[in-house]
Amino acid sequence: MTGALRALALILSLTAGAALAQDPAPVPDPPSPAEQAPAETAPVDIGGAPKTTTATGTAPTRTIRIIKTPTLDYAAWDAVAIRAEEATADDATTADALETLRVEVVDWREKLLAGQNVNATRIGALRTQLTALGPAPAAGETEADEIASRRSELNDQLVTLEAPVVAAEAAYSRANALVGEIDRALRERQADELLKLWPMPANPANWPAGLGALRDVAVTLYDETARAVRWPSNRVTFANNLPLIMLYLALAVGLLWRGRDWIDRLVMRLQARAAARTHRLWETIASFGQVVVPMLGVVALSEAMQLSGMVGVLGRDLTQALPAIAAPVFVAVWLGGRLFPHGEAMESVLLLPGERRAEGRFLASSFGLVLAVEAFRGISLNRLGSSEAAIAVLSFPILVVAGVLLMRMGRLLRRYTSVETGEPATPTYRLRVLTLIGRAAIVIGLLAPVLAAVGYVSAAGALVYPAILSLGLVGGLFLLQQLVSDIYSAVARDDDAGQQALIPVLVGFALTLAMLPLLALVWGARVSDLTELWTRFREGFRLGNTQISPTDFLVFAVVFAIGYTLTRLFQGALKSTILPKTSLDRGGQNAIAVGVGYLGIFVAALIAINAAGLDLSGLAIV
């Protein structure tokens, strides 16, 4: 038995020796005093990777996990920026090319603005951790090794995360400057065009050019139509489309000839069936048909002419533009009828007698005709490539007629300041606005023809036609405000509610604000100017170290409104439930309720400021 045990021990020892010879185990060094300290549970860093320790107590290691964020193609941006800079500096670049480049730069600017918010949450968390470590030691001072190591590590992460943000901020500044340069170049070109000196229309030497251009338009339309009629393929097209052409023509004749009568009958039926307070409401809604129905007739006529195939290049341009040419006429007639209605019994937005209303309808319709003739002139002469002398001569009589109409409309609006007896009317806000508009119309009506006569045709047109369109917008605004009042009266079932309630006034004020961008466009502003203004508004303004945007104001208003409501509810509970059960007199109860109200409003304001992220420490001294 003893021999067997010895043999077994010998076999085991040989097996262990062979295993040790194949894979010798390393002998660990004695641990240092720092490593002998018990390991603590490591917090998770900003990247989400925890500190890990080895089983033998080795020093902790940290794995920094950087989330990959989509990067911008700065090489492509540099190419766009260089191209925009070169185009802006080149006077030969067209305005359309500059507008196209501006769209590209603005698109990049939006991307770069979004790039400034990359890693914003993680950057904020890192800065919070750095703040928790306290201020960095001054020169010559030291801090604990663990704090210094942690501070260095957080700073390294912060630099890594802020690198794309810094690059986006620099590129955004460049894009912002490029947008400003392009806008400046476009405004300078627009100003040069307005101040351009054309051949004098008052000079008889330029009149033959204008008459020749007018003759060329007529001859071109006749020749194009004659050639189209003689062309066999056009006759085949006309024969194939004849049923549809006849249908469109019948529809156009019916809508243009009898359309207004149909709308008038519809209005009368609606008034007969509607309640007294909704007569004007239904009448206004149905009157929109006086614009829609004739416009449908013009569209049908345009389609019939195009399907016939009997129009040439100039004829096709005029035919396609026919609805746009006719629209000002129908809209002007409708506005004149609504602002200056027939009959003394009809309520009018303006306090004018019957004969003055007739004059207002005539002037409004004439404005529409002037705009239509000007549109026809622009399309025809631009297509034929007429000379500047011809354009100036043919534009001059239209500008003179428009100036005379503006002066007459200005005098008519000034008569709104008094009723038929001549006594001054109540100086309301609308009265002051219309008086100012009337004076401006008279001045423009006098000045524009003089400018056109001496050669500043573009400047005269930039005054007259926007003035006419502005009158139309103001008239439409008054009608919309009246429509809102009528709708409110119908809903409230009170004839006086629409004139005295607050809601129609607020809606009217909102409509006035909405009209301001349209007025800016009418007077020469570009759409890009308005979008740039909106972009600036969204970015907000800087107050101290805080960037305040409209979103911040909205958050502040919502949170403050909630706090104010809760304060009032608590005040009501104090007054009605809690304080009456105490031994305080009425004066003490009121004092406590008022104090709680002031305190609640103050706390609500503080909470709202904090929720909106506003840093008002710079105003502490105030």
Side-chain angles (χ1 to χ4, degrees):
M1 190 66 178
T2 303
L5 292 175
R6 290 178 178 175
L8 180 59
L10 179 61
I11 294 173
L12 292 175
S13 62
L14 291 175
T15 304
L20 292 173
Q22 295 176 359
D23 189 13
V27 179
D29 295 331
S32 62
E35 294 171 342
Q36 292 177 357
E40 298 179 356
T41 303
V44 177
D45 71 347
I46 190 62
K51 294 180 179 180
T52 58
T53 57
T54 61
T56 57
T58 58
T61 60
R62 179 178 297 276
T63 301
I64 302 175
R65 181 170 59 88
I66 304 297
I67 298 177
K68 293 184 178 181
T69 55
T71 57
L72 296 170
D73 188 357
Y74 286 99
W77 156 241
D78 287 337
V80 173
I82 293 172
R83 186 154 46 90
E85 291 169 351
E86 294 175 350
T88 305
D90 189 1
D91 294 336
T93 308
T94 62
D96 293 337
L98 287 177
E99 289 284 3
T100 303
L101 277 173
R102 189 187 187 281
V103 172
E104 292 187 52
V105 175
V106 169
D107 182 57
W108 270 103
R109 187 176 63 175
E110 294 294 330
K111 295 178 181 178
L112 295 170
L113 181 61
Q116 297 180 29
N117 297 322
V118 172
N119 300 324
T121 304
R122 302 179 64 201
I123 290 174
L126 283 173
R127 288 175 176 170
T128 302
Q129 295 183 51
L130 285 171
T131 303
L133 294 179
E141 297 181 358
T142 60
E143 60 182 349
D145 293 340
E146 183 177 355
I147 296 178
S149 175
R150 180 59 176 164
R151 188 188 305 278
S152 176
E153 181 182 339
L154 292 176
N155 283 324
D156 292 341
Q157 295 184 47
L158 188 61
V159 169
T160 302
L161 292 176
E162 285 183 338
V165 177
V166 173
E169 289 177 350
Y172 177 83
S173 300
R174 185 182 183 185
N176 217 23
L178 278 175
V179 171
E181 291 181 10
I182 295 175
D183 288 339
R184 177 184 53 79
L186 290 172
R187 283 192 294 268
E188 288 178 354
R189 297 187 180 194
Q190 190 176 19
D192 293 340
E193 180 63 27
L194 290 178
L195 298 178
K196 178 181 177 181
L197 187 61
W198 294 69
M200 292 179 59
N203 187 357
N206 296 323
W207 296 353
L211 295 176
L214 193 59
R215 183 186 63 251
D216 291 342
V217 172
V219 171
T220 301
L221 288 175
Y222 177 80
D223 291 342
E224 287 181 351
T225 304
R227 285 195 300 268
V229 171
R230 290 193 301 267
W231 200 257
S233 61
N234 290 341
R235 292 198 295 268
V236 172
T237 301
F238 178 79
N240 293 335
N241 295 333
L242 184 59
L244 190 57
I245 293 172
M246 297 302 296
L247 176 61
Y248 276 130
L249 286 176
L251 182 62
V253 172
L255 293 177
L256 291 174
W257 181 34
R258 303 293 297 175
R260 290 184 60 88
D261 294 338
W262 296 340
I263 296 301
D264 292 339
R265 293 178 183 178
L266 177 61
V267 170
M268 294 177 62
R269 291 182 180 179
L270 291 175
Q271 288 181 341
R273 296 180 180 180
R277 67 174 64 91
T278 60
H279 275 182
R280 189 169 58 185
L281 173 61
W282 288 113
E283 178 190 0
T284 302
I285 295 175
S287 68
F288 291 136
Q290 296 177 354
V291 177
V292 176
V293 172
M295 281 300 302
L296 292 176
V298 173
V299 171
L301 179 61
S302 175
E303 291 294 330
M305 296 175 67
Q306 295 182 59
L307 288 174
S308 67
M310 298 302 175
V311 293
V313 178
L314 179 59
R316 183 180 63 251
D317 290 346
L318 292 174
T319 300
Q320 292 176 350
L322 189 59
I325 294 174
V329 178
F330 298 130
V331 173
V333 172
W334 175 76
L335 280 175
R338 301 305 303 171
L339 294 172
F340 311 100
H342 294 269
E344 295 287 348
M346 297 289 293
E347 290 189 30
S348 174
V349 177
L350 304 179
L351 301 177
L352 292 172
E355 64 273 12
R356 296 303 179 187
R357 295 184 184 183
E359 182 183 1
R361 292 192 298 271
F362 169 77
L363 293 176
S365 303
S366 300
F367 281 140
L369 290 174
V370 165
L371 294 176
V373 172
E374 171 60 19
F376 179 86
R377 181 209 60 79
I379 296 172
S380 302
L381 298 188
N382 290 337
R383 168 57 67 180
L384 296 181
S386 301
S387 64
E388 292 185 353
I391 295 175
V393 169
L394 293 180
S395 299
F396 181 66
I398 305 175
L399 292 171
V400 171
V401 173
V404 173
L405 294 175
L406 280 173
M407 286 190 293
R408 292 187 58 181
M409 180 60 77
R411 288 197 298 265
L412 182 64
L413 291 178
R414 293 191 64 183
R415 291 181 181 273
Y416 176 62
T417 59
S418 61
V419 293
E420 189 175 5
T421 59
E423 298 177 358
T426 304
T428 61
Y429 176 75
R430 176 178 293 186
L431 171 65
R432 292 192 293 268
V433 170
L434 287 178
T435 302
L436 180 62
I437 292 175
R439 293 175 180 173
I442 293 174
V443 173
I444 293 174
L446 287 171
L447 181 61
V450 175
L451 291 175
V454 298
Y456 291 101
V457 177
S458 298
L463 288 175
V464 166
Y465 302 121
I468 294 175
L469 294 176
S470 298
L471 289 175
L473 286 175
V474 172
L477 174 64
F478 287 165
L479 293 179
L480 283 177
Q481 291 175 342
Q482 186 64 53
L483 178 62
V484 170
S485 298
D486 293 339
I487 293 175
Y488 189 83
S489 297
V491 172
R493 297 184 178 182
D494 185 358
D495 294 339
D496 298 330
Q499 303 297 329
Q500 300 177 359
L502 178 61
I503 293 179
V505 175
L506 295 178
V507 174
F509 181 71
L511 291 174
T512 304
L513 293 180
M515 188 188 68
L516 295 180
L518 296 178
L519 284 174
L521 292 174
V522 164
W523 284 96
R526 297 175 292 115
V527 176
S528 57
D529 293 333
L530 300 181
T531 56
E532 184 68 15
L533 184 62
W534 175 248
T535 300
R536 300 296 184 187
F537 175 74
R538 286 189 306 164
E539 291 179 359
F541 61 94
R542 183 168 293 280
L543 181 63
N545 295 325
T546 303
Q547 186 75 17
I548 301 178
S549 65
T551 305
D552 298 329
F553 280 110
L554 181 60
V555 172
F556 173 83
V558 171
V559 175
F560 181 75
I562 294 175
Y564 181 82
T565 302
L566 294 177
T567 300
R568 291 306 184 192
L569 291 176
F570 185 65
Q571 269 188 306
L574 280 177
K575 290 181 179 181
S576 61
T577 306
I578 300 176
L579 293 178
K581 297 180 179 180
T582 64
S583 59
L584 294 174
D585 57 3
R586 178 65 63 179
Q589 295 179 13
N590 290 335
I592 292 177
V594 171
V596 169
Y598 286 135
L599 179 62
I601 292 174
F602 179 73
V603 172
L606 291 180
I607 295 175
I609 291 173
N610 182 68
L614 304 180
D615 182 12
L616 302 183
S617 58
L619 300 180
I621 190 172
V622 177

